[in-house]
Amino acid sequence: MLDLENLHVTRGNFTLQANLSLPAGSRAAVIGPSGSGKSTLLAMIAGFLHPDQGRVRWNGEDITNTAPGKRPVSVLFQDQNLFPHLSAAQNVGLGLRPDLRLNHAQKARVGQVLAHVGLEGMENRKPANLSGGQQSRVALARVLLRARPILLLDEPFAALGPALKVEMLRLLDQFTTENNTTVLMVTHDPDDARAFTPSTILIEHGAAHPPVPTEPLLDNPPPGLRAYLG
Amino acid sequence: MAAGIFAIRRDWGGGAVAAALAALILGTLAAVAWQARGLSGLGPWDWRAVWFTLWQAMLSASLSALLAIPVARALARRRFPGRALLVTLLGAPFILPVIVAIMGLISVFGRNGVLNDAFRAFGLPEITIYGWQGVILAHVFFNLPLSVRLILQGWQSIPSERFRLAASLDFAPADIARHLERPMLRAVLPGVWLAVFLVCLTSFAVALTLGGGPRATTVELAIYQAFRFDFDLGRAAMLGLIQIALCLAAMSLARWIAIPAAFGAGLDQPDQLTGPRGWRRITDTLAITLAAVFLLWPMLAVTMRGLPRIPALPADVWDAALRSVVMALISAALAITLSLVLALSVARSKSRLIEAAGMLPLVASPLVLGTGLFILLRGTLAPQSLALPVTIAINAIMALPFGLRALIPAARDLRADYGRLADSLDMQGLARLRLLTLPRLARPIGFAGGLAAALAMGDLGVITLFPSDQPTLPLKLYQLMNSYRMADASACAVLLMAISFALFWLFDRGGRLA
Amino acid sequence: MRLQALTLALLAASPGLAEDKPVLTVYAGDYVTSEWGPGPKIEEGFEAFCNCDLKFVTGDVLPRILMEGEGTEADIVFGLNTDVTARARASGLFAPHGQDTSDMSLPIEWTDEIFLPYNWGETAFIYDETRLENPPASFAELLDAPDDLKIVIQDPRASISGLALLLWVKEVYGDQAPEAWAKLAPKVLTVTKGWSESYGMFTDGEADMVLSYTTSPAYHIAAEEDLTKKAAIFPEGHYFMTELAAQLRTTDQPELAQAFMDWILTPDFQKVIPLANWSMPAKLPQADWPQVMRDLPRPEKTLFYTEDEAEALRQPALDEWLRAFSQ
């Protein structure tokens, strides 16, 4: 269970509060107008941003002051998910050991995971020599390898073509189901939410609302969301 | 609360280095003042020196920064054979030992120089390098390369994706200038101007040799005179204090005008952009050619004269050269470590104080620094055993600000682009240094290390204050001149120049290849 | 091997590794210890009979001694100039040299009991006769020469020869010194920090004349067989310059220090001076001078201010100079 207890953060004119829970293994879309605080919410869960008030708990344990890398969290960003100077295999290997001192078994696992996402034989390529879809797969491979119980997706597939995006979501679906991963996904695309996340957290007027079922929300959106979805 | 403590604990390295720097620079000043039993008042000549210093530094900084823009832009958007070599070569004057540079400038612009020979041949009036114009010319010669390098780095920090986007939007050069280049320049130029201004603020030998007379006296020269002529430590400390006050004033000004550009990171794809065609191709060519001639000719002139005598140089010149190289390498390693710690800390905490401390060495008078250290340390160790370590340390410190100018923006970008990813992957400590920081910052680190090594190689100032029986190469050069051996001295100058340059090249190249 | 030794030396830099001989520490100016300066020959000569290790330590001699005070490690200072003896004496750090100075080969009387001259010369403007066919024959002619005769001088605030020029002009022109400077200033191409920068500009052909010493041509004659460099000898006289040695009152090697002072005026030491220091020996019969020194044209008149006079004139003369050059 991921609990956000009375989280509150203020940066200049911007404020965001959140008081909600997400059961382990559930998936929620995060939807709201631009600048409403979708990425801020994820940043607080990931540990990049410290809330002014409130607690973040995972299965009852307070992780509010835990460093990002020590949290039970993996993140896929909109871009810059890969270090350009490291090869695909190294980028993935970081998920096993942040100092990259991998033993044979670990190296073999990196190869397996890369093969699993369809990148066999591309281990030594640098990101610049991979297509956008391949880059996303490398990032995804690392998420698979880390297998953290929480996965935060900050529009990682926004730049991908429809077929690729569907392919990515399929891989994610398979993996998160197998591992009972809790997923929060920021998205602008209602279809993604319908397809992938049964529940949705709506952010508007400076507050992240508790998750509600996605289909009814999108079928009958409140006025703010309606204006946003168009 | 807890997060605050967390942040402080992580930042202790940068804070500690900054505090140590400030303590060293202000502490040595205090030590000199204390030895003198207080500060002394300044005479009218001292105030004239202050005004001249300010005036020439402003003019030199403005000219260097302005002239650097077309050169950096031309270099950024043109590809031609030998470009990489030229970029490296254009960096050379900044790391030239002053005495060598002045030899070169005089042989081109002097009374008997190539330029005046040509003017005479065409019946044109002669120009003179002696006077304030000589000081400005020399300062532009020294600082144009630094400005070009820093601005060029700014250009390269604009991801090529942006230029491709601009090309796809069919931007005219004016649009590119407005949307991509001007924001970058607005972020980079104040720092460039400030760096050059501060370098010129403490200028010493240039003003003394080319200034023509007491009209062109700088504050640093007045400090030297206070030491040498009057042994008036109180006046020296007072002047040192004024120099630091000028620096702080300039830095607060720069803080006011500096607006950091928010450029994202590119994915390291090799550049494929082509510059605009038409007349801009001609002006770019002209800018590069003029800069190359202006910057390289004096060095070529020195080389031509001194090269033939190098094989005949006596053995102890080579000993001194080896000693200087070892010292320069240690200085460079120290400078890299310190500036990296500072830059990462500045990038993390956005602390203006740490950044200011990193810039302090620019305006600290090496004379006050050396004398203050001497006063502070004399009770603890034999002065002879201090000479080389202190020289190494001071040279590393004096090179810090230049390294920081290149490292801080890069460290900020690194943090903005990859900080969260690294944090989320729990990359900490040495692993982060090895896998992220060093490879991503290799270029500015190489640049900073190269600068430090070369500046340490050519430095003469500090070591003369400390008793030593182990002369460095620049000291050897002066010994040759003082023994009437001007031909050997010019050979020694070529050697000094070659080694300084080789050190810089090795570091810089290493950084680019990494 | 060498690199290793060097690294060791850099790390330790401890003087006198595994030496059991007593060490005589001599603070000296930078130029002294270069292999072309007098240092190596002096070291060799003294160590030949002292059963000690003479150690030269180079740098700015007086400022360092004044900072170190009684704690200084120096036993001897070598290479002070007369412009600083007043301040050096006032520090009370030095002991008498104990030599008989009645019979020196100096153009002036020497009665100082603390500071002992080991060489001398005079200020002079040097020219190249192939480039300057009609050099000024007197100071007055120099002042009246056309302004396109360019000379380089040294800054009196940074250089001993520059300061000597101040005193030279003061002694020749007295109250008229400001007018003299006003005439000279347009001819001054530039003012350099030290003698070496000036001299380099002269040999490069930038300037027609350079402020240097009457003994400078000796180097060109003896070392380069170049007879074209000449000192312009002025009937108004030339300013006397000498370099001095003194022993520290606080020395921990009083016998060695005294032995060194005793040795300075001996022919053994003095014969080193002309061709290594390129200056006149302080006490050596003319017959023992190298030919080149004996042949040098000598000024008829030598000008010199006593220590107290020079100390009193320093600041006012400097102000006159500054004013003339700031017009």
Side-chain angles (χ1 to χ4, degrees):
Chain A
M1 178 81 89
L2 175 67
D3 293 302
L4 309 183
E5 293 177 10
N6 297 313
L7 286 188
H8 197 282
V9 71
T10 303
R11 292 287 181 274
N13 288 331
F14 173 86
T15 60
L16 179 70
Q17 44 192 346
N19 190 21
L20 55 90
S21 296
L22 216 58
S26 66
R27 296 183 204 157
V30 180
I31 289 186
S34 293
S36 59
K38 301 187 290 289
S39 292
T40 306
L41 182 72
L42 261 57
M44 283 194 287
I45 300 171
F48 305 132
L49 185 68
H50 198 263
D52 301 335
Q53 290 169 23
R55 306 272 96 191
V56 180
R57 289 184 203 280
W58 172 246
N59 291 340
E61 188 192 345
D62 186 351
I63 57 169
T64 319
N65 292 327
T66 308
K70 308 286 187 205
R71 297 192 180 202
V73 175
S74 282
V75 193
L76 280 180
F77 303 95
Q78 197 163 358
D79 47 22
Q80 268 134 31
N81 283 304
L82 302 179
F83 295 111
H85 58 285
L86 298 180
S87 69
Q90 285 176 310
N91 265 296
V92 173
L94 284 172
L96 280 178
R97 281 196 66 153
D99 63 0
L100 272 187
R101 299 194 194 282
L102 305 182
N103 59 28
H104 277 295
Q106 287 168 320
K107 279 182 185 154
R109 275 199 66 201
V110 169
Q112 283 164 7
V113 174
L114 276 170
H116 181 68
V117 297
L119 291 176
E120 201 159 16
M122 300 192 184
E123 287 85 352
N124 293 323
R125 290 211 194 163
K126 298 268 170 81
N129 297 321
L130 294 170
S131 70
Q134 288 167 334
Q135 290 176 14
S136 294
R137 285 162 195 255
V138 175
L140 186 63
R142 187 174 58 218
V143 168
L144 304 188
L145 204 56
R146 289 189 91 206
R148 299 279 164 120
I150 303 171
L151 176 60
L152 304 176
L153 303 171
D154 195 352
E155 298 185 71
F157 310 129
L160 296 186
L164 270 175
K165 188 158 78 176
V166 169
E167 163 73 5
M168 285 295 157
L169 287 176
R170 192 191 60 74
L171 279 166
L172 267 181
D173 182 36
Q174 183 194 348
F175 163 74
T176 53
T177 308
E178 280 170 14
N179 290 278
N180 197 33
T181 309
T182 309
V183 182
L184 272 92
M185 178 175 76
V186 171
T187 182
H188 287 288
D189 187 344
D191 292 340
D192 289 351
R194 285 182 204 269
F196 188 66
T197 51
S199 61
T200 293
I201 295 169
L202 176 65
I203 302 191
E204 57 175 0
H205 309 310
H209 299 290
V212 294
T214 301
E215 295 283 348
L217 179 76
L218 291 178
D219 289 343
N220 195 6
L225 184 61
R226 189 190 306 268
Y228 166 67
L229 293 173
Chain B
M1 256 327 275
I5 293 165
F6 188 59
I8 288 168
R9 192 171 57 78
R10 270 200 351 189
D11 271 346
W12 73 268
V17 171
L21 270 179
L24 181 68
I25 285 153
L26 303 176
T28 46
L29 191 67
V32 172
W34 175 81
Q35 172 90 4
R37 308 275 179 271
L39 300 167
S40 316
L42 300 183
W45 300 110
D46 296 320
W47 287 112
R48 281 182 84 137
V50 171
W51 288 121
F52 176 74
T53 304
L54 276 176
W55 177 80
Q56 60 83 17
M58 279 186 195
L59 192 55
S60 303
S62 306
L63 274 177
S64 301
L66 281 179
L67 293 176
I69 295 173
V71 183
R73 180 171 50 200
L75 285 171
R77 67 187 181 191
R78 303 290 169 195
R79 294 292 175 272
F80 50 89
R83 177 183 171 277
L85 181 69
L86 187 68
V87 170
T88 309
L89 274 177
L90 289 187
F94 186 74
I95 55 176
L96 264 196
V98 176
I99 177 74
V100 182
I102 290 174
M103 284 177 179
L105 283 173
I106 289 176
S107 64
V108 174
F109 297 96
R111 227 177 131 224
N112 230 6
V114 191
L115 211 58
N116 274 325
D117 284 349
F119 282 3
R120 271 191 292 271
F122 290 102
L124 295 167
E126 290 180 32
I127 53 157
T128 176
I129 192 182
Y130 305 101
W132 63 267
Q133 66 272 36
V135 177
I136 304 292
L137 180 85
H139 282 165
V140 172
F141 174 77
F142 278 120
N143 294 302
L144 185 62
L146 176 74
S147 313
V148 169
R149 281 297 294 253
L150 291 177
I151 297 175
L152 187 58
Q153 278 180 355
W155 240 290
Q156 284 169 344
S157 74
I158 306 178
S160 48
E161 284 92 336
R162 301 292 161 93
F163 284 109
R164 252 174 264 137
L165 177 66
S168 72
L169 294 173
D170 199 21
F171 274 17
D175 301 321
I176 293 183
R178 207 178 71 177
H179 296 294
L180 296 180
E181 298 174 337
R182 236 173 275 160
M184 180 280 293
L185 286 174
R186 240 186 14 198
V188 171
L189 276 183
V192 173
W193 189 89
L194 184 64
V196 178
F197 177 81
L198 295 177
V199 173
C200 297
L201 212 54
T202 54
S203 174
F204 171 53
V206 167
L208 195 41
T209 307
L210 294 177
R215 259 165 305 188
T217 295
T218 58
V219 176
E220 182 71 9
L221 177 53
I223 293 177
Y224 181 73
Q225 288 153 358
F227 274 117
R228 277 299 298 263
F229 189 67
D230 302 319
F231 199 63
D232 187 345
L233 293 181
R235 217 171 104 232
M238 186 69 204
L239 287 163
L241 205 59
I242 286 183
Q243 216 170 65
I244 288 181
L246 290 178
C247 149
L248 293 180
M251 287 179 70
S252 60
L253 190 76
R255 169 197 184 159
W256 199 47
I257 45 183
I259 305 162
F263 286 108
L267 271 181
D268 284 21
Q269 266 161 3
D271 288 339
Q272 294 149 348
L273 54 139
T274 49
R277 295 165 193 288
W279 60 270
R280 285 189 180 80
R281 188 191 290 267
I282 298 169
T283 53
D284 282 357
T285 311
L286 204 62
I288 294 174
T289 311
L290 282 178
V293 169
F294 172 53
L295 297 177
L296 300 182
W297 198 353
M299 289 185 284
L300 202 64
V302 171
T303 311
M304 299 300 279
R305 203 173 48 167
L307 202 58
R309 294 278 302 214
I310 285 188
L313 280 175
D316 65 349
V317 168
W318 296 100
D319 287 347
L322 185 60
R323 183 178 301 123
S324 279
V325 167
V326 174
M327 289 172 67
L329 290 176
I330 303 174
S331 271
L334 200 57
I336 287 178
T337 311
L338 292 177
S339 52
L340 195 59
V341 170
L342 282 176
L344 293 176
S345 173
V346 168
R348 252 197 318 263
S349 63
K350 302 177 179 65
S351 161
R352 303 288 313 189
L353 267 180
I354 293 179
E355 192 173 354
M359 295 299 273
L360 259 187
L362 258 189
V363 286
S365 154
L367 280 165
V368 173
L369 198 60
T371 310
L373 268 183
F374 189 85
I375 291 169
L376 290 172
L377 296 177
R378 66 182 161 182
T380 55
L381 287 160
Q384 283 89 331
S385 61
L386 287 176
L388 297 187
V390 166
T391 305
I392 288 169
I394 290 188
N395 280 330
I397 289 168
M398 296 313 268
L400 271 188
F402 308 111
L404 283 178
R405 284 325 310 164
L407 263 172
I408 288 178
R412 281 200 179 118
D413 288 350
L414 179 67
R415 174 133 188 101
D417 296 338
Y418 299 107
R420 287 185 165 191
L421 177 59
D423 284 347
S424 78
L425 290 172
D426 198 25
M427 292 170 77
Q428 302 288 343
L430 280 178
R432 185 169 179 140
L433 186 71
R434 177 169 56 89
L435 294 173
L436 178 62
T437 310
L438 292 182
R440 294 309 295 171
L441 296 184
R443 264 189 186 208
I445 286 174
F447 179 66
L451 270 185
L455 291 176
M457 189 72 206
D459 175 73
L460 176 72
V462 185
I463 195 159
T464 56
L465 284 176
F466 285 83
S468 170
D469 49 0
Q470 296 173 308
T472 57
L473 193 56
L475 206 57
K476 219 65 215 167
L477 171 59
Y478 268 92
Q479 288 181 347
L480 282 164
M481 290 181 80
N482 276 321
S483 314
Y484 289 93
R485 295 175 182 263
M486 300 299 166
D488 281 339
S490 52
C492 193
V494 175
L495 184 65
L496 183 58
M497 177 170 87
I499 297 177
S500 301
F501 200 27
L503 284 173
F504 177 79
W505 186 81
L506 282 174
F507 275 92
D508 195 51
R509 191 79 200 146
R512 282 152 184 276
L513 292 180
Chain C
M1 252 336 269
R2 190 183 259 182
L3 185 69
Q4 234 171 12
L6 187 72
T7 318
L8 255 179
L10 275 169
L11 292 176
S14 52
L17 270 174
E19 289 274 357
D20 31 7
K21 285 181 185 172
V23 175
L24 183 73
T25 305
V26 179
Y27 280 13
D30 283 330
Y31 75 92
V32 171
T33 53
S34 82
E35 68 176 86
W36 320 280
K41 291 198 180 88
I42 291 171
E43 187 172 343
E44 192 188 332
F46 191 61
E47 285 176 357
F49 68 88
C50 72
N51 192 29
C52 71
D53 179 16
L54 189 157
K55 201 167 165 54
F56 275 114
V57 171
T58 59
D60 261 349
V61 177
L62 187 66
R64 188 179 332 128
I65 289 280
L66 292 181
M67 274 192 288
E68 289 176 351
E70 303 215 333
T72 185
E73 292 200 348
D75 302 307
I76 300 278
V77 295
F78 193 78
L80 290 181
N81 294 100
T82 43
D83 66 316
V84 296
T85 47
R87 267 171 295 156
R89 198 186 309 279
S91 73
L93 289 169
F94 298 96
H97 53 65
Q99 308 303 309
D100 174 13
T101 57
S102 60
D103 188 23
M104 310 275 278
S105 43
L106 303 178
I108 60 157
E109 191 101 358
W110 193 263
T111 52
D112 194 319
E113 292 183 347
I114 301 272
F115 298 103
L116 187 65
Y118 60 85
N119 72 3
W120 63 278
E122 296 105 343
T123 50
F125 288 98
I126 305 295
Y127 65 94
D128 182 332
E129 63 179 6
T130 61
R131 284 190 278 133
L132 190 65
E133 282 167 21
N134 297 306
S138 66
F139 219 124
E141 271 189 34
L142 173 64
L143 297 189
D144 291 331
D147 285 349
D148 62 0
L149 176 91
K150 288 299 179 192
I151 63 174
V152 276
I153 62 173
Q154 296 98 55
D155 194 311
R157 295 165 297 178
S159 148
I160 172 65
S161 45
L163 180 62
L165 176 63
L166 273 195
L167 298 173
W168 186 12
V169 169
K170 195 71 195 164
E171 188 147 5
V172 171
Y173 289 98
D175 294 344
Q176 304 300 306
E179 288 78 10
W181 280 119
K183 284 175 154 185
L184 197 59
K187 291 179 252 302
V188 172
L189 183 68
T190 193
V191 181
T192 68
K193 178 174 77 127
W195 170 88
S196 52
E197 292 95 334
S198 284
Y199 210 82
M201 291 171 80
F202 164 69
T203 55
D204 284 352
E206 277 295 292
D208 304 306
M209 300 182 96
V210 59
L211 174 66
S212 185
Y213 310 105
T214 47
T215 47
S216 297
Y219 170 80
H220 298 284
I221 298 167
E224 298 178 338
E225 293 171 8
D226 172 4
L227 304 178
T228 63
K229 308 289 191 294
K230 298 265 164 76
I233 302 295
F234 295 160
E236 291 95 334
H238 289 249
Y239 196 81
F240 176 76
M241 294 186 73
T242 179
E243 286 185 295
L244 309 161
Q247 57 179 329
L248 273 294
R249 187 170 52 73
T250 53
T251 176
D252 55 352
Q253 299 288 346
E255 288 85 15
L256 274 181
Q258 189 59 54
F260 188 80
M261 297 306 290
D262 292 346
W263 183 54
I264 287 179
L265 293 184
T266 64
D268 197 23
F269 179 104
Q270 288 292 317
K271 277 180 181 165
V272 171
I273 292 298
L275 298 185
N277 209 188
W278 303 107
S279 51
M280 303 289 193
K283 186 173 183 180
L284 198 66
Q286 282 245 359
D288 290 342
W289 293 14
Q291 189 65 37
V292 57
M293 284 294 173
R294 271 184 283 165
D295 291 349
L296 282 183
R298 297 281 315 133
E300 290 163 27
K301 204 163 137 194
T302 299
L303 309 173
F304 186 58
Y305 280 120
T306 63
E307 184 179 298
D308 295 339
E309 289 169 330
E311 188 67 18
L313 281 172
R314 237 159 45 97
Q315 196 58 50
L318 179 69
D319 285 336
E320 289 170 4
W321 183 83
L322 284 169
R323 245 173 260 128
F325 277 89
S326 303
Q327 295 304 313

